[in-house]
Protein backbone atom coordinates (compact mmCIF):
# COMPACT_ATOMS: atom_id res chain seq x y z
CA UNK A 1 0.00 0.00 0.00
CA UNK A 2 1.42 3.38 -0.96
CA UNK A 3 2.03 5.48 2.12
CA UNK A 4 1.65 9.21 1.90
CA UNK A 5 5.16 10.65 1.82
CA UNK A 6 4.28 14.28 2.38
CA UNK A 7 1.69 16.05 4.50
CA UNK A 8 0.60 19.53 5.39
CA UNK A 9 -0.03 20.88 8.86
CA UNK A 10 -1.11 24.03 10.64
CA UNK A 11 1.00 24.49 13.74
CA UNK A 12 2.39 26.67 16.47
CA UNK A 13 6.13 26.38 17.08
CA UNK A 14 6.48 25.45 20.76
CA UNK A 15 10.26 25.37 20.84
CA UNK A 16 13.35 24.76 18.77
CA UNK A 17 16.80 23.38 19.35
CA UNK A 18 19.98 23.13 17.34
CA UNK A 19 20.31 19.89 15.44
CA UNK A 20 23.51 18.71 13.78
CA UNK A 21 25.73 21.33 12.13
CA UNK A 22 23.19 23.69 10.60
CA UNK A 23 19.71 22.33 11.21
CA UNK A 24 17.00 23.00 13.74
CA UNK A 25 14.75 20.54 15.52
CA UNK A 26 11.27 21.99 16.03
CA UNK A 27 8.61 20.91 18.49
CA UNK A 28 5.28 21.80 16.90
CA UNK A 29 1.74 21.62 18.16
CA UNK A 30 -0.27 20.82 15.02
CA UNK A 31 -3.97 20.92 14.37
CA UNK A 32 -3.81 17.64 12.44
CA UNK A 33 -1.62 15.42 14.60
CA UNK A 34 -1.08 17.19 17.90
CA UNK A 35 2.48 17.42 19.07
CA UNK A 36 5.23 16.40 16.69
CA UNK A 37 8.87 17.09 16.04
CA UNK A 38 10.29 18.12 12.67
CA UNK A 39 13.67 19.10 11.28
CA UNK A 40 14.41 22.27 9.30
CA UNK A 41 17.47 21.62 7.17
CA UNK A 42 19.98 24.47 7.03
CA UNK A 43 17.86 26.72 9.29
CA UNK A 44 20.96 28.13 10.97
CA UNK A 45 22.63 29.19 7.73
CA UNK A 46 22.59 32.95 7.17
CA UNK A 47 20.73 32.70 3.89
CA UNK A 48 18.07 30.31 5.17
CA UNK A 49 14.66 31.39 3.93
CA UNK A 50 12.89 29.20 6.44
CA UNK A 51 14.64 30.40 9.60
CA UNK A 52 12.40 33.42 10.23
CA UNK A 53 9.25 31.31 10.10
CA UNK A 54 10.25 28.77 12.71
CA UNK A 55 10.86 30.88 15.81
CA UNK A 56 8.89 29.89 18.93
CA UNK A 57 5.29 31.27 19.18
CA UNK A 58 4.95 31.52 15.37
CA UNK A 59 1.69 30.27 13.87
CA UNK A 60 2.60 28.56 10.59
CA UNK A 61 1.53 26.20 7.86
CA UNK A 62 4.15 23.63 6.96
CA UNK A 63 4.66 20.97 4.36
CA UNK A 64 6.39 17.99 5.92
CA UNK A 65 8.12 15.09 4.19
CA UNK A 66 8.18 11.80 6.04
CA UNK A 67 11.67 10.63 6.82
CA UNK A 68 12.99 7.52 8.53
CA UNK A 69 12.82 9.06 12.00
CA UNK A 70 11.71 12.70 12.19
CA UNK A 71 9.82 14.47 9.36
CA UNK A 72 11.57 17.21 7.38
CA UNK A 73 10.05 20.65 6.80
CA UNK A 74 10.02 21.26 3.03
CA UNK A 75 7.94 24.46 2.96
CA UNK A 76 6.80 26.88 5.62
CA UNK A 77 4.63 29.99 5.65
CA UNK A 78 3.87 32.30 8.55
CA UNK A 79 0.20 32.86 9.41
CA UNK A 80 0.98 35.12 12.38
CA UNK A 81 4.34 35.96 13.96
CA UNK A 82 2.69 37.80 16.91
CA UNK A 83 5.28 40.55 16.62
CA UNK A 84 4.10 42.61 19.63
CA UNK A 85 4.94 39.62 21.86
CA UNK A 86 8.54 39.76 20.75
CA UNK A 87 8.94 43.46 21.46
CA UNK A 88 7.89 43.34 25.13
CA UNK A 89 9.69 41.14 27.63
CA UNK A 90 6.69 40.74 29.94
CA UNK A 91 4.49 39.57 27.07
CA UNK A 92 7.27 37.33 25.78
CA UNK A 93 7.47 35.60 29.14
CA UNK A 94 3.67 35.19 29.37
CA UNK A 95 3.64 33.66 25.88
CA UNK A 96 6.50 31.34 26.86
CA UNK A 97 4.49 30.26 29.92
CA UNK A 98 1.43 29.46 27.78
CA UNK A 99 3.52 27.39 25.37
CA UNK A 100 5.29 25.59 28.17
CA UNK A 101 2.02 24.54 29.82
CA UNK A 102 0.73 23.06 26.57
CA UNK A 103 4.08 21.42 25.88
CA UNK A 104 4.25 19.77 29.29
CA UNK A 105 0.71 18.40 29.24
CA UNK A 106 0.82 16.91 25.73
CA UNK A 107 2.71 14.03 24.18
CA UNK A 108 3.63 13.01 20.67
CA UNK A 109 1.27 10.61 18.88
CA UNK A 110 -1.75 11.65 20.97
CA UNK A 111 -3.42 13.00 17.83
CA UNK A 112 -4.61 16.49 16.94
CA UNK A 113 -6.80 18.67 19.10
CA UNK A 114 -8.30 21.55 17.17
CA UNK A 115 -9.61 23.18 20.36
CA UNK A 116 -6.09 23.39 21.81
CA UNK A 117 -4.68 24.98 18.65
CA UNK A 118 -7.53 27.51 18.61
CA UNK A 119 -7.09 28.29 22.31
CA UNK A 120 -3.37 28.85 21.87
CA UNK A 121 -3.60 31.00 18.72
CA UNK A 122 -6.53 33.05 20.11
CA UNK A 123 -4.66 33.58 23.38
CA UNK A 124 -1.41 34.64 21.67
CA UNK A 125 -3.38 37.09 19.50
CA UNK A 126 -5.11 38.55 22.58
CA UNK A 127 -1.83 38.79 24.43
CA UNK A 128 -0.58 41.06 21.60
CA UNK A 129 -3.50 43.44 22.06
CA UNK A 130 -4.71 43.58 25.67
CA UNK A 131 -3.55 46.35 27.98
CA UNK A 132 -3.40 44.00 30.98
CA UNK A 133 -2.09 40.51 30.18
CA UNK A 134 -2.96 39.02 33.59
CA UNK A 135 -6.55 38.18 32.68
CA UNK A 136 -5.62 36.80 29.28
CA UNK A 137 -3.22 34.30 30.89
CA UNK A 138 -5.67 33.22 33.61
CA UNK A 139 -8.38 32.72 31.02
CA UNK A 140 -6.02 30.55 28.98
CA UNK A 141 -5.19 28.45 32.07
CA UNK A 142 -8.86 27.84 32.84
CA UNK A 143 -9.74 26.83 29.25
CA UNK A 144 -6.61 24.68 29.04
CA UNK A 145 -7.78 22.72 32.09
CA UNK A 146 -11.12 22.14 30.30
CA UNK A 147 -9.48 20.85 27.13
CA UNK A 148 -7.01 18.65 28.97
CA UNK A 149 -9.79 17.01 30.99
CA UNK A 150 -8.96 18.68 34.33
CA UNK A 151 -11.89 21.12 34.56
CA UNK A 152 -12.07 22.02 38.25
CA UNK A 153 -15.38 21.67 40.13
CA UNK A 154 -16.12 25.22 41.35
CA UNK A 155 -19.90 25.30 41.79
CA UNK A 156 -20.55 22.44 44.17
CA UNK A 157 -18.47 20.88 46.94
CA UNK A 158 -16.26 18.15 45.46
CA UNK A 159 -17.00 16.08 48.60
CA UNK A 160 -20.68 16.47 49.60
CA UNK A 161 -21.91 17.85 46.22
CA UNK A 162 -23.85 20.63 47.93
CA UNK A 163 -23.93 23.97 46.16
CA UNK A 164 -21.11 26.28 47.19
CA UNK A 165 -22.25 29.23 49.31
CA UNK A 166 -20.81 32.76 49.24
CA UNK A 167 -18.05 32.36 51.84
CA UNK A 168 -14.38 31.37 52.02
CA UNK A 169 -13.78 27.76 50.96
CA UNK A 170 -11.08 25.15 50.57
CA UNK A 171 -9.64 23.79 47.34
CA UNK A 172 -8.59 20.16 47.00
CA UNK A 173 -6.09 19.52 44.19
CA UNK A 174 -6.60 15.75 44.47
CA UNK A 175 -10.42 16.04 44.27
CA UNK A 176 -10.06 18.65 41.52
CA UNK A 177 -12.31 21.25 43.07
CA UNK A 178 -13.71 23.29 45.90
CA UNK A 179 -14.47 21.71 49.28
CA UNK A 180 -17.02 23.45 51.51
CA UNK A 181 -16.01 24.65 55.02
CA UNK A 182 -18.12 21.83 56.63
CA UNK A 183 -16.38 19.01 54.75
CA UNK A 184 -12.98 20.68 54.83
CA UNK A 185 -12.56 20.63 58.62
CA UNK A 186 -9.68 18.33 59.40
CA UNK A 187 -9.18 17.03 55.84
CA UNK A 188 -5.50 16.91 54.82
CA UNK A 189 -3.99 18.44 51.67
CA UNK A 190 -6.46 21.31 51.25
CA UNK A 191 -5.62 24.86 50.22
CA UNK A 192 -7.53 27.96 51.32
CA UNK A 193 -9.48 29.86 48.72
CA UNK A 194 -11.23 33.15 49.47
CA UNK A 195 -14.74 33.95 48.35
CA UNK A 196 -13.28 36.73 46.21
CA UNK A 197 -10.75 34.54 44.36
CA UNK A 198 -13.34 31.81 43.80
CA UNK A 199 -15.70 34.36 42.30
CA UNK A 200 -13.16 35.16 39.55
CA UNK A 201 -12.27 31.53 38.87
CA UNK A 202 -15.97 30.73 38.41
CA UNK A 203 -16.41 33.77 36.19
CA UNK A 204 -13.50 32.70 33.93
CA UNK A 205 -14.78 29.13 33.79
CA UNK A 206 -18.29 29.94 32.62
CA UNK A 207 -17.71 33.06 30.47
CA UNK A 208 -16.56 33.71 26.94
CA UNK A 209 -13.44 35.87 26.82
CA UNK A 210 -15.26 39.15 26.09
CA UNK A 211 -17.37 38.69 29.20
CA UNK A 212 -14.48 37.42 31.34
CA UNK A 213 -12.38 40.42 30.34
CA UNK A 214 -14.78 42.76 32.14
CA UNK A 215 -13.60 41.39 35.51
CA UNK A 216 -11.63 43.82 37.60
CA UNK A 217 -10.05 41.92 40.49
CA UNK A 218 -8.08 43.67 43.21
CA UNK A 219 -4.30 43.11 43.22
CA UNK A 220 -4.77 40.77 46.23
CA UNK A 221 -7.36 38.66 44.39
CA UNK A 222 -5.14 38.60 41.29
CA UNK A 223 -2.24 37.31 43.34
CA UNK A 224 -4.36 34.65 45.04
CA UNK A 225 -5.89 33.38 41.78
CA UNK A 226 -2.49 33.26 40.08
CA UNK A 227 -0.84 31.42 42.97
CA UNK A 228 -3.67 28.89 43.22
CA UNK A 229 -3.77 28.15 39.49
CA UNK A 230 -0.01 27.72 39.30
CA UNK A 231 -0.03 25.42 42.32
CA UNK A 232 -2.80 23.36 40.71
CA UNK A 233 -0.85 23.03 37.45
CA UNK A 234 2.24 22.01 39.39
CA UNK A 235 0.20 19.42 41.29
CA UNK A 236 -1.24 17.99 38.05
CA UNK A 237 2.18 17.85 36.40
CA UNK A 238 3.64 15.96 39.35
CA UNK A 239 0.74 13.53 39.24
CA UNK A 240 1.42 13.04 35.54
CA UNK A 241 4.73 11.47 36.55
CA UNK A 242 2.89 8.18 36.85
CA UNK A 243 1.16 8.26 33.50
CA UNK A 244 2.18 6.12 30.52
CA UNK A 245 2.69 9.32 28.55
CA UNK A 246 5.41 10.41 30.88
CA UNK A 247 7.15 7.04 30.77
CA UNK A 248 7.03 7.10 27.00
CA UNK A 249 8.55 10.55 27.02
CA UNK A 250 11.35 9.43 29.30
CA UNK A 251 12.14 6.55 26.95
CA UNK A 252 12.44 9.04 24.11
CA UNK A 253 14.82 11.36 25.93
CA UNK A 254 18.03 9.41 25.15
CA UNK A 255 17.11 9.60 21.44
CA UNK A 256 16.68 13.34 21.66
CA UNK A 257 20.00 13.86 23.36
CA UNK A 258 21.83 11.73 20.77
ZN1 LIG B 1 -19.04 19.68 51.34
Amino acid sequence: MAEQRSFRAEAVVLRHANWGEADRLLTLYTREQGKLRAIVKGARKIRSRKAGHVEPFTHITVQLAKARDIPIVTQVETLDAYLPLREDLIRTSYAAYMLELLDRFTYEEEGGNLALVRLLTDSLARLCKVAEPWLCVRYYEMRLLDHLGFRPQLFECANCRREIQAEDQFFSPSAGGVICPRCGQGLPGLWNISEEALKYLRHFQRSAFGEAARANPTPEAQKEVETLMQAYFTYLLERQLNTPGFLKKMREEPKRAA
Side-chain angles (χ1 to χ4, degrees), residues 121-132:
T121 54
D122 286 353
S123 299
L124 290 171
R126 283 175 196 138
L127 196 53
C128 291
K129 284 185 286 198
V130 292
E132 174 44 70

Side-chain angles (χ1 to χ4, degrees), residues 6-40:
S6 175
F7 59 104
R8 200 177 154 78
E10 180 189 329
V12 175
V13 182
L14 296 182
R15 54 193 157 94
H16 67 199
N18 291 341
W19 186 261
E21 289 291 305
D23 306 339
R24 272 205 209 284
L25 175 66
L26 306 183
T27 302
L28 303 173
Y29 195 85
T30 71
R31 186 182 149 137
E32 293 78 3
Q33 298 189 30
K35 188 146 98 180
L36 63 85
R37 292 181 299 160
I39 289 171
V40 192

Side-chain angles (χ1 to χ4, degrees), residues 36-49:
L36 63 85
R37 292 181 299 160
I39 289 171
V40 192
K41 294 277 187 194
R44 281 146 63 210
K45 289 183 181 153
I46 290 165
R47 286 159 192 263
S48 170
R49 278 183 290 125

Side-chain angles (χ1 to χ4, degrees), residues 132-204:
E132 174 44 70
W134 179 89
L135 195 135
C136 184
V137 179
R138 303 286 88 79
Y139 188 81
Y140 171 82
E141 289 173 331
M142 189 57 87
R143 289 282 96 79
L144 186 65
L145 289 173
D146 279 358
H147 297 317
L148 294 171
F150 295 115
R151 182 184 174 91
Q153 174 56 263
L154 303 177
F155 291 86
E156 51 184 52
C157 170
N159 189 54
C160 69
R161 306 286 158 192
R162 285 200 189 97
E163 198 186 334
I164 288 297
Q165 305 300 312
E167 59 189 329
D168 292 351
Q169 311 282 338
F170 296 104
F171 185 86
S172 164
S174 59
V178 171
I179 302 280
C180 74
R182 265 69 58 195
C183 294
Q185 293 303 330
L187 279 183
L190 300 184
W191 305 336
N192 294 312
I193 179 168
S194 70
E195 183 188 342
E196 177 86 350
L198 180 59
K199 181 178 86 180
Y200 290 109
L201 287 178
R202 287 160 63 132
H203 180 55
F204 298 157

Side-chain angles (χ1 to χ4, degrees), residues 87-107:
E87 292 156 2
D88 174 343
L89 267 181
I90 302 281
R91 282 170 211 262
T92 306
S93 57
Y94 278 128
Y97 170 72
M98 287 179 177
L99 263 54
E100 190 190 352
L101 279 185
L102 180 61
D103 192 10
R104 294 187 66 184
F105 277 98
T106 53
Y107 303 97

